[in-house]
Amino acid sequence: MNILEVHGLCKNFDKFQLKNVDITLEEGFIMGLIGRNGAGKTTTLKAILNLMNNDGGSISICGLALPKDEIEIKKQVGYVFGGVNFYPEHKIKKITNITKEFYENWDENRYKELCQRFEIDQDKKFKQLSSGMKVKYALAVAMSHNPRLLILDEPTSGLDPAARDDLICILQEFIEDGQHSVLFSTHITSDLEKCADYITYIKEGQVIASAEKSEFKNKYLMVAGKKDQLTEELNAKLIGCHTHQFGFEALMKKEDEELVLSTGIESAEPTLEDIMVHIERR
């Protein structure tokens, strides 16, 4: 079953547009949403949650349709956006006691387990938490009402490497039963290398690629060579070519691999970061 289906999503602003965004996510998988700042990632996530009036398209979550079934959908979705800001003067335990009243499926044991794992002090005021701890708390709340879909916008940006690794483990545990999924927007593509099953790439408000992670990466090669190897024919096939005093490096579509073999230049499997950097450089 598809836990999320987005078809033809459009949103028009004065200087920006989401253009016919399509996203499909099955149960039991993690999808990474990538793209540079201003590409439309956060706008897409907010539109999926009906936090803005969309100008076109359809959205289905857990088999329910937005906006008709919004209340029921929001019971089954946990979400964390950047710039988390609960009531700054209230203690964590008070904020939680207020928040959990909105969720009939609130799991107090799960909440306590996550707070212990994240080392969240219930007696601290929200404003006393570091930026990383604020993210951890928001995640603990988002995951404590048994959501089937987690929507996360830059959740790891304020976390140290150990905490990021712990979060990735939690996300992988979350989908283990095959009935839960995660839509995960981040600039830290190394996190997606570890946990994402699918990658959706947004550029200038449009989805330019959406595929299983290995399939997405296998479409490209990282290539490098000396300046005298950079022929006109080869240069025409390169993506985001960077030249320097020793030669060049670039991205290339795997379908053009024959040129690599004929010119003798070096090639390697690209990372998600390599792909994103070179596509955006183009």
Side-chain angles (χ1 to χ4, degrees), residues 88-250:
E89 296 293 337
H90 287 345
K91 290 184 178 180
I92 294 301
K93 59 185 176 184
K94 183 174 182 179
I95 297 172
T96 302
N97 286 335
I98 294 170
T99 303
K100 68 184 183 182
E101 293 301 316
F102 293 93
Y103 297 102
E104 59 189 41
N105 293 325
W106 182 266
D107 186 338
E108 188 67 18
N109 290 330
R110 176 65 167 155
Y111 172 72
K112 289 178 179 178
E113 173 197 333
L114 288 168
C115 285
Q116 183 176 6
R117 190 166 181 173
F118 288 150
E119 300 180 333
I120 297 170
D121 185 346
Q122 300 293 305
D123 290 316
K124 275 192 174 182
K125 291 183 177 180
F126 187 78
K127 70 177 184 180
Q128 294 176 309
L129 301 182
S130 67
S131 57
M133 291 303 294
K134 288 176 180 177
V135 172
K136 290 180 183 180
Y137 174 64
L139 283 166
V141 171
M143 297 181 70
S144 294
H145 60 90
N146 293 316
R148 290 183 60 202
L149 174 64
L150 271 179
I151 295 180
L152 310 175
D153 190 11
E154 302 290 345
T156 59
S157 58
L159 303 180
D160 60 61
R164 281 172 31 220
D165 188 68
D166 195 24
L167 170 61
I168 288 168
C169 289
I170 288 173
L171 296 182
Q172 290 171 326
E173 292 167 10
F174 179 73
I175 65 165
E176 273 180 358
D177 64 1
Q179 298 178 10
H180 299 79
S181 298
V182 179
L183 181 58
F184 182 177
S185 165
T186 182
H187 286 109
I188 306 175
T189 52
S190 58
D191 290 341
L192 297 180
E193 296 276 7
K194 296 177 183 177
C195 71
D197 301 293
Y198 293 90
I199 298 294
T200 294
Y201 194 142
I202 292 184
K203 181 172 179 162
E204 297 176 352
Q206 293 181 288
V207 173
I208 64 169
S210 187
E212 193 271 329
K213 182 177 64 181
S214 61
E215 179 187 341
F216 175 79
K217 292 172 66 176
N218 285 340
K219 290 180 179 179
Y220 300 97
L221 287 172
M222 275 297 296
V223 295
K226 299 176 181 178
K227 284 186 176 180
D228 59 5
Q229 294 175 302
L230 187 57
T231 64
E232 186 175 332
E233 181 186 14
L234 176 62
N235 192 44
K237 298 292 185 179
L238 299 182
I239 301 170
C241 184
H242 171 60
T243 57
H244 46 80
Q245 66 181 97
F246 301 108
F248 70 93
E249 59 183 31

Side-chain angles (χ1 to χ4, degrees), residues 22-82:
D22 291 340
I23 297 174
T24 300
L25 177 59
E26 296 178 67
E27 288 178 312
F29 295 98
I30 297 174
M31 176 177 283
L33 187 63
I34 64 173
R36 70 183 306 165
N37 285 336
K41 300 187 303 299
T42 296
T43 301
T44 298
L45 297 183
K46 288 183 176 180
I48 288 173
L49 287 166
N50 203 37
L51 297 179
M52 58 178 67
N53 293 321
N54 301 327
D55 295 311
S58 64
I59 300 166
S60 172
I61 299 176
C62 302
L64 302 170
L66 275 172
K68 180 172 68 73
D69 302 313
E70 182 173 8
I71 293 176
E72 187 58 36
I73 284 173
K74 297 246 174 119
K75 293 177 183 177
Q76 300 189 53
V77 176
Y79 52 96
V80 176
F81 288 108

